Amino acid sequence: MDNDVAAGSAGSTGSTTSILGQLALGLTLLAFGLGHTRVVDGLTEADAVSLATYVGGVTLFVAGLLAFRERDAFTGTAYSGLGALWFTWAAGAGDTVSDNAAGLFLLLFALVALSLALGAPASATLTRATYALLFVALLLLAVSEFGGGAALAKAAGWFAAVGGLVAWYAATAALAHWPTVLPKRAAGRGVTATG
């Protein structure tokens, strides 16, 4: 059974830097996503600004620098880049920028998330899933900003919230030594799939 839940490095098995980064990313994505879904009465994406600044921005950026110090280039790149995303998003929240400028910002960071999803080691399934969900969320938000409407923003919120839950589970699994993949079982003679 594969217990690799780190944020990316193929050789990593859940370093404290990686766990901290996964927790920070999970909390930020969850708050950001739930704000966009409007599922909690009175909660909007603007309510996630403080969390995005300090937990998503500063904590992820510092975790990225620590990962570089540990010679984990993928995790360092991921966390530093995402720290910049969250800090910039939070710093610009409330400012008057055009919808097209906001859409372009989101689209560019969607491409960063796509690069992270494609570049994550194959053994880090939860990491790939987190970055893929972040990519979809940012892409939907970008299209929404370009004129796609509130329904796309709400859908993006759900993708971000699920991505946050996946990142949070990855960190918790590393701390609690829970499995992160289902054991693979080859179908042999006489074994049939049901369903």
Side-chain angles (χ1 to χ4, degrees):
M1 185 174 302
D2 184 1
N3 276 335
D4 183 12
V5 296
S9 167
S12 183
T13 57
S15 73
T16 54
T17 300
S18 181
I19 294 168
L20 172 65
Q22 287 285 34
L23 283 172
L25 180 58
L27 291 173
T28 305
L29 273 175
L30 191 57
F32 178 77
L34 288 175
H36 276 88
T37 64
R38 312 279 171 133
V39 71
V40 177
D41 189 35
L43 180 70
T44 69
E45 62 275 3
D47 295 319
V49 170
S50 291
L51 187 95
T53 302
Y54 299 107
V55 177
V58 175
T59 303
L60 272 173
F61 191 79
V62 170
L65 295 179
L66 292 173
F68 280 129
R69 196 174 107 199
E70 294 171 358
R71 300 188 201 303
D72 186 348
F74 178 81
T75 303
T77 301
Y79 289 163
S80 296
L82 292 175
L85 159 72
W86 291 117
F87 192 84
T88 304
W89 176 80
D95 286 348
T96 54
V97 295
S98 71
D99 290 344
N100 287 340
L104 180 61
F105 171 82
L106 292 166
L107 181 61
L108 292 173
F109 272 103
L111 294 175
V112 170
L114 178 62
S115 294
L116 295 174
L118 295 174
S123 62
T125 307
L126 294 176
T127 298
R128 281 180 174 254
T130 300
Y131 296 144
L133 289 164
L134 176 60
F135 164 71
V136 172
L138 292 174
L139 183 62
L140 290 174
L141 281 173
V143 172
S144 173
E145 289 291 334
F146 287 132
L152 280 179
K154 192 172 192 173
W158 284 111
F159 277 99
V162 171
L165 289 174
V166 171
W168 171 80
Y169 177 82
T172 304
L175 290 171
H177 304 291
W178 294 344
T180 59
V181 295
L182 297 173
K184 294 180 181 176
R185 189 177 122 204
R189 182 176 285 233
V191 177
T192 60
T194 59

